[in-house]
């Protein structure tokens, strides 16, 4: 299962240091038994651990949401590892502890922050609402672990977050004993199990969230739908690679299912529902999340080809090398076909899905994406989606304590600069391709592709 092959947000600051505190040495805390007593609220049992005890502590979480989610994960994973050791110490040492470390060394925890701030924006000020939001936020981090571990296996990626990917680490563990082929198969198989374990722990955490009975039913339904959407979107992605299906509607649908819903809309819905949001507020937030989530996914597609690896945390060209049916590529192909541009189509056919993609080959693909107007079209679509999403958000009646931070997060996820993100402002468009990537290669492509000179934003690939 891989909803988002490169949606692992690298932390702006170094990850919380785990090497100095091995997972096996994490403090163990008691586990709530769900019975009667002081640890129970009218919303349900609240597990002991790093949970706010009052409104002041809730506001302390506001100051460092990733840190609070990390502390929640520390507590939860310590208990999961204790129970795993009862099943088998070797399994715990070689697999379960790797899952815990991977999760604790996460990036910006953006999805978890969407859950928290959606809850706060919908009036979640009390400890019970905060506890539910933190449980769900931590569960999303474990779900992200599952997604990324499986993703790296499917993409044959050897690195993640600047370290060996989990399956690579497990392969290296036995490569000297059984040879590279057997060790590689073992590493992939064990990584699939690691992702399954993270998914099981995520589901457990959602089930344990302290929610009123009916709210719990709705949250679990949202969670179930999100998991199904992730798998459906990922299937469309891998099926599109094998069949070379790259239509514009299909590309947009796959992007929405595999990432836009999971990255923004569903986290907002989970946080808002946990806080007891009314139907109208929930609908407005979901509409905002749907638009921003698509903008986020389309921006990620652009970054995969044109981004700075130091900022994106990944090498360029992964989607091209894997032949992923992204909307960016679908637009370029549609516009090249409309213009009868055999040279551009030849470049796309030659390099899309080519495992041996070279730097020169990637430059050729970039030139086609620029010359056909695909890059400019996607940039324009991102800006429209971002503006539309923020308009939906501004139409919701929200608690000011959470609304401001949540709006800023949505604007950032959509790729808006701070000056563009003010209420009611669509903001100017981004720099065009000639400003973003100057060079003789672009000018040469323009000279060759005369049919694109007029009406560059119309036609089959406009996405309007």
């Amino acid at each position: 299962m891989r909803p988002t092959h490169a949606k692992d947000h690298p932390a702006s600051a170094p990850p919380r240091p785990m090497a100095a505190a091995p997972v096996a040495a994490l403090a163990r805390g008691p586990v709530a038994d769900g019975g009667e007593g002081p640890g129970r609220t009218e919303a349900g049992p609240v597990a002991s651990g790093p949970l706010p005890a009052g409104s002041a502590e809730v506001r302390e979480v506001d100051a460092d949401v990733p840190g609070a989610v990390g502390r929640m994960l520390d507590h939860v994973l310590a208990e999961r590892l204790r129970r795993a050791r009862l099943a088998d110490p070797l399994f715990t040492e070689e697999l379960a502890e790797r899952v815990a470390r991977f999760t604790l060394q996460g990036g910006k925890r953006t999805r978890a922050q969407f859950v928290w701030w959606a809850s706060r924006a919908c009036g979640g000020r009390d400890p019970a609402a905060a506890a539910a939001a933190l449980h769900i936020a931590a569960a999303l981090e474990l779900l992200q672990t599952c997604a990324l571990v499986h993703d790296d296996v499917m993409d044959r990626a050897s690195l993640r977050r600047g370290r060996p990917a989990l399956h690579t680490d497990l392969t290296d563990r036995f490569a000297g004993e059984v040879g590279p082929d057997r060790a590689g198969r073992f590493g992939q198989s064990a990584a699939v199990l690691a992702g399954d374990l993270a998914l099981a722990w995520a589901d457990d955490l959602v089930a344990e969230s302290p929610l009123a009975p009916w709210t719990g039913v709705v949250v679990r339904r949202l969670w179930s739908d999100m998991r199904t959407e992730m798998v459906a979107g990922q299937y469309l992605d891998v099926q599109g690679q094998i069949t070379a299906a790259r239509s514009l509607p299909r590309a947009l649908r796959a992007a929405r299912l595999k990432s836009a819903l999971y990255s923004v809309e569903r986290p907002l819905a989970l946080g808002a529902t946990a806080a007891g949001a009314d139907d109208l507020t929930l609908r407005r937030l979901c509409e905002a999340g749907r638009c921003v989530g698509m903008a986020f996914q389309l921006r990620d597609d652009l970054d995969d080809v044109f981004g700075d690896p130091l900022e994106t945390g990944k090498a360029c060209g992964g989607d091209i090398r894997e032949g992923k049916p992204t909307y960016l590529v679908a637009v370029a192909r549609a516009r090249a076909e409309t213009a009868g541009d055999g040279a551009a189509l030849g470049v796309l056919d030659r390099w899309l899905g080519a495992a041996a993609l070279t730097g020169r080959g990637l430059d050729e693909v970039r030139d086609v994406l620029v010359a056909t107007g695909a890059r400019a079209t996607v940039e324009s679509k991102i800006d429209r989606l971002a503006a539309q999403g923020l308009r939906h958000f501004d139409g919701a009646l929200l608690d000011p304590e959470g609304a401001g931070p949540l709006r800023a997060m949505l604007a950032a996820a959509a790729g808006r600069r701070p000056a563009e993100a003010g209420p009611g402002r669509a903001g100017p468009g981004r720099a065009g391709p000639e400003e973003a990537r100057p060079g003789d290669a672009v000018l040469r492509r323009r000279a060759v592709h005369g049919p694109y000179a007029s009406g560059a934003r119309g036609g089959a690939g406009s996405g309007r």
Side-chain angles (χ1 to χ4, degrees):
M1 176 166 30
R2 181 193 60 82
T4 163
H5 74 281
K7 315 304 177 297
D8 181 25
H9 305 266
S12 54
R16 296 163 55 250
M18 289 304 302
V23 172
L26 288 173
R28 269 60 173 168
V31 181
D33 60 10
E36 299 296 328
R40 189 176 182 86
T41 72
E42 62 182 11
V46 180
S48 59
L51 296 175
S55 58
E57 288 83 358
V58 172
R59 291 188 175 89
E60 288 177 4
V61 174
D62 290 348
D64 183 14
V65 178
V69 174
R71 290 188 293 274
M72 184 72 190
L73 286 166
D74 282 338
H75 176 74
V76 168
L77 291 173
E79 173 56 23
R80 289 304 185 275
L81 291 176
R82 184 190 69 78
R83 291 161 61 181
R85 288 186 189 90
L86 297 177
D88 185 81
L90 179 64
F91 153 74
T92 303
E93 179 183 352
E94 294 196 353
L95 197 72
E97 289 189 3
R98 279 180 166 85
V99 171
R101 264 192 291 271
F102 188 101
T103 305
L104 291 168
Q105 294 171 335
K108 292 181 179 179
R109 308 201 188 284
T110 301
R111 295 166 185 82
Q113 292 190 68
F114 275 132
V115 171
W116 176 262
W117 287 116
S119 173
R120 295 286 281 117
C122 293
R125 300 186 177 199
D126 60 283
L134 287 174
H135 273 79
I136 296 168
L140 266 175
E141 290 300 308
L142 283 162
L143 186 61
Q144 176 73 345
T145 292
C146 166
L148 295 176
V149 168
H150 285 174
D151 181 56
D152 289 341
V153 172
M154 286 188 281
D155 282 354
R156 300 183 295 278
S158 60
L159 293 176
R160 171 66 65 180
R161 298 169 180 163
R163 308 178 184 93
L166 195 141
H167 72 278
T168 303
D169 185 29
L170 288 162
T171 297
D172 294 344
R173 165 79 172 77
F174 290 98
E177 300 177 25
V178 299
D181 290 341
R182 287 186 63 193
R185 288 194 297 273
F186 163 79
Q188 292 177 357
S189 299
V192 170
L193 295 174
D196 291 346
L197 182 62
L199 177 60
W201 286 350
D203 287 346
D204 290 346
L205 199 48
V206 171
E208 295 167 5
S209 298
L211 296 163
W214 177 246
T215 302
V217 169
V218 178
V219 164
R220 287 189 291 274
R221 174 62 183 270
L222 285 168
W223 181 265
S224 175
D225 288 348
M226 179 179 67
R227 288 181 50 190
T228 301
E229 291 157 358
M230 289 167 60
V231 177
Q234 181 54 27
Y235 181 75
L236 290 180
D237 194 34
V238 297
Q239 201 265 1
Q241 292 178 51
I242 199 70
T243 62
R246 299 188 177 95
S247 73
L248 290 169
R250 179 183 170 121
L252 284 175
R253 182 163 184 78
R256 178 174 181 264
L257 285 169
K258 77 172 185 174
S259 181
L261 281 163
Y262 162 67
S263 295
V264 186
E265 182 178 345
R266 292 307 191 192
L268 290 181
L270 287 164
T273 300
D278 61 78
D279 290 345
L280 178 59
T281 300
L282 182 61
R283 185 165 66 250
R284 293 278 170 79
L285 286 180
C286 286
E287 289 168 345
R290 188 172 303 123
C291 294
V292 169
M294 280 302 303
F296 168 78
Q297 173 59 45
L298 296 179
R299 172 56 56 196
D300 187 83
D301 292 345
L302 282 172
D303 285 346
D304 181 82
V305 181
F306 296 100
D308 180 351
L310 294 178
E311 295 182 5
T312 64
K314 61 177 181 176
C316 286
D319 289 351
I320 304 301
R321 188 173 292 106
E322 292 293 324
K324 295 189 181 300
T326 65
Y327 181 70
L328 175 66
V329 169
V331 170
R333 185 176 291 278
R335 293 175 69 83
E337 289 173 351
T338 299
D341 188 345
L345 291 170
V347 168
L348 296 176
D349 289 339
R350 183 182 315 123
W351 293 117
L352 287 176
L357 177 69
T358 63
R360 181 176 179 179
L362 181 57
D363 281 341
E364 290 181 8
V365 173
R366 286 169 173 155
D367 291 343
V368 167
L369 296 176
V370 170
T372 58
R375 182 182 183 180
T377 296
V378 175
E379 291 272 12
S380 177
K381 190 173 185 67
I382 290 170
D383 284 338
R384 292 195 303 273
L385 285 166
Q388 185 178 357
L390 293 178
R391 284 196 298 270
H392 286 308
F393 181 86
D394 292 337
L397 295 177
L398 300 171
D399 189 322
E401 282 194 4
L406 180 55
R407 193 182 196 282
M409 278 199 68
L410 287 169
R416 309 299 297 275
R417 292 182 290 268
E420 299 173 338
R425 290 184 59 188
R430 289 178 171 269
E434 63 270 29
E435 296 172 285
R437 189 172 178 266
D440 293 338
V442 175
L443 298 177
R444 285 197 301 273
R445 297 300 296 176
R446 282 180 177 166
V448 172
H449 297 284
Y452 302 110
S454 61
R457 296 187 187 276
S462 68
R464 290 181 186 275

